[in-house]
Amino acid sequence: MTGTKIAVLDDYQELSKLHFNRLRDAGYEVTTFTDTLLPYNSPDTPQDVKDALVKRLEPFGIISTMRERTPIPADLVAKLPNLKLLLTTGGRNASLDVKACRARGVPVAGTDGGAKRRGPDSTTTHCVAMILALARNVAQDDTVMKAGGWQTEAATELSGKVFGTIGLGRLGTSVGKIMASAFGMRVVAWSSNLTQEAADAKAKEAGLPVEDEDGEKTFKVVSREELFRTADVVSVQVVLSDRSRGLVTKDDLGKMKKSALFINTSRGPIVNEADLLEAANSGTMRGVALDVFALEPLPRDSPWRTTKWGEEGRARVLLTPHMGYVEEGTMASWYEQQVENILRWQKGEALKVEFKDTGY
């Protein structure tokens, strides 16, 4: 197996090299790509970019992907005759066509979460950090201070206000717990199939009482309309799927308070981007914080980058480059597990976190 060519895709910070050097020393040829070509399966991707991606990947027998940075759909799999092993990070990756790989006899394997944590996961931490940074004008005040200025705008109070989570899964529960426990926010939640009984169970699992001392539900299930109308902070916490794509629309955003903050650390396509841009430009809400975008990496000419936010009635906008899961320890664990999977594959051993036909 040595001499096999390995492609490590989308390693923006070259964090994989320390780990994959073990394979270089063992005779594998490892190429690290620090850029991402436009998504192969986007309807807006030009044919020449698709062709460039095929040309890039065609020589490699093993491809290491970072979850949902470069999609590997069935038609791309069909154009990679040398592919023998496909690796990704995490326990699921909806942008890989696992069935197409299996049909070719190409195993697909992910990674587990690594060492157990004593506190919140990386994405929860980042989401809370973005809420606080937006509410407290951290980025704006930093810019003003470095330009020689001083106070320009009052911060947004969180204590006692309403935190609205769209989705009450693992991340929605984790962020909701922090906002309730640390900041005294009242938590309301909505998703298409969420019941109060399920929300109560989530509160118990999080170590919270089902009701507070006033008899109010700790995680109160409300209608979609009520969440957007009453929440002072709206956070997107659902998984991207065909059902959730484009879930949040102009109608939802138009119900928000002008003093409210909108946060998305889940996936960009869950929110209609054109509608969110329009709402931010018109100042429908006070602030927007985004870690995820419809197209990633975010194009240089994106209005999110080029608009003078916070001026002439526009919302304040805080942007980060999909950093929710990008922690040094997490990335090291993922890449180390990928290396171990390659060595397992070389020996004919079972792969760790091998995907089933469903892709999950």
Side-chain angles (χ1 to χ4, degrees):
M1 299 293 184
T2 55
T4 299
K5 293 183 178 181
I6 302 173
V8 181
L9 305 186
D10 312 313
D11 183 9
Y12 304 142
Q13 300 152 321
E14 297 185 281
L15 298 175
S16 68
K17 284 193 172 182
L18 176 64
H19 308 282
F20 276 78
N21 279 342
R22 292 172 56 193
L23 298 175
R24 291 184 176 92
D25 295 341
Y28 286 91
E29 296 182 37
V30 183
T31 302
T32 303
F33 295 96
T34 59
D35 64 322
T36 295
L37 295 175
L38 287 175
Y40 183 90
N41 58 350
S42 168
D44 300 322
T45 302
Q47 186 60 46
D48 62 331
V49 176
K50 294 183 179 183
D51 294 341
L53 183 57
V54 172
K55 185 177 180 180
R56 168 178 286 190
L57 300 183
E58 192 275 334
F60 296 98
I62 301 173
I63 297 176
S64 159
T65 70
M66 181 56 63
R67 182 177 170 186
E68 294 170 12
R69 289 186 182 175
T70 295
I72 310 289
D75 58 340
L76 177 55
V77 173
K79 296 175 182 177
L80 303 178
N82 297 308
L83 183 62
K84 298 180 178 65
L85 174 65
L86 181 61
L87 303 172
T88 186
T89 54
R92 65 184 179 192
N93 188 340
S95 67
L96 306 182
D97 194 318
V98 178
K99 289 184 178 180
C101 290
R102 290 296 180 112
R104 276 267 314 277
V106 175
V108 181
T111 60
D112 62 27
K116 290 185 177 181
R117 294 172 175 264
R118 295 185 63 181
D121 63 88
S122 176
T123 302
T124 295
T125 302
H126 193 76
C127 181
V128 173
M130 294 197 80
I131 294 170
L132 296 180
L134 186 61
R136 304 302 306 183
N137 301 327
V138 173
Q140 177 180 330
D141 285 348
D142 176 72
T143 299
V144 169
M145 287 285 287
K146 289 174 180 175
W150 196 238
Q151 294 184 7
T152 59
E153 189 173 354
T156 300
E157 184 181 6
L158 296 177
S159 178
K161 298 295 183 69
V162 178
F163 176 76
T165 176
I166 303 171
L168 196 62
R170 178 178 60 84
L171 292 174
T173 298
S174 181
V175 176
K177 176 182 179 179
I178 292 173
M179 303 316 292
S181 301
F183 302 102
M185 298 191 78
R186 292 178 290 125
V187 179
V188 297
W190 171 85
S191 67
S192 57
N193 296 315
L194 182 63
T195 65
Q196 188 60 60
E197 182 181 11
D200 291 345
K202 290 288 185 181
K204 288 182 179 179
E205 290 171 11
L208 299 172
V210 171
E211 296 180 350
D212 63 19
E213 57 188 16
D214 297 322
E216 288 284 335
K217 292 290 188 180
T218 299
F219 293 158
K220 181 181 179 182
V221 177
V222 297
S223 67
R224 178 173 178 163
E225 188 274 337
E226 184 177 347
L227 185 145
F228 280 96
R229 180 175 52 82
T230 63
D232 297 287
V233 177
V234 175
S235 177
V236 179
Q237 298 292 354
V238 293
V239 175
L240 178 62
S241 65
D242 289 339
R243 188 173 63 178
S244 67
R245 188 177 296 273
L247 176 68
V248 178
T249 65
K250 180 178 181 178
D251 184 58
D252 300 311
L253 300 170
K255 293 182 174 67
M256 292 179 64
K257 301 176 182 179
K258 286 187 70 68
S259 59
L261 308 178
F262 182 85
I263 319 294
N264 188 5
T265 55
S266 184
R267 288 293 183 272
I270 295 170
V271 183
N272 184 299
E273 186 172 47
D275 290 351
L276 184 58
L277 274 166
E278 181 182 343
N281 269 300
S282 63
T284 296
M285 70 285 288
R286 183 174 186 180
V288 176
L290 302 175
D291 186 46
V292 290
F293 306 90
L295 181 61
E296 297 180 6
L298 187 65
R300 290 181 179 272
D301 61 352
S302 167
W304 292 118
R305 293 186 188 264
T306 59
T307 303
K308 293 184 177 180
W309 298 111
E311 299 180 10
E312 300 178 356
R314 301 184 192 94
R316 289 181 286 117
V317 172
L318 177 67
L319 307 176
T320 54
H322 204 150
M323 294 295 292
Y325 63 90
V326 186
E327 282 187 340
E328 187 175 1
T330 299
M331 301 294 278
S333 174
W334 284 352
Y335 281 131
E336 189 61 30
Q337 288 180 61
Q338 287 194 344
V339 170
E340 292 296 334
N341 262 335
I342 291 172
L343 296 175
R344 287 170 180 263
W345 174 77
Q346 176 184 325
K347 297 174 184 177
E349 298 175 355
L351 301 179
K352 192 174 185 180
V353 195
E354 187 167 6
F355 285 6
K356 298 178 181 179
D357 289 344
T358 58
Y360 291 87

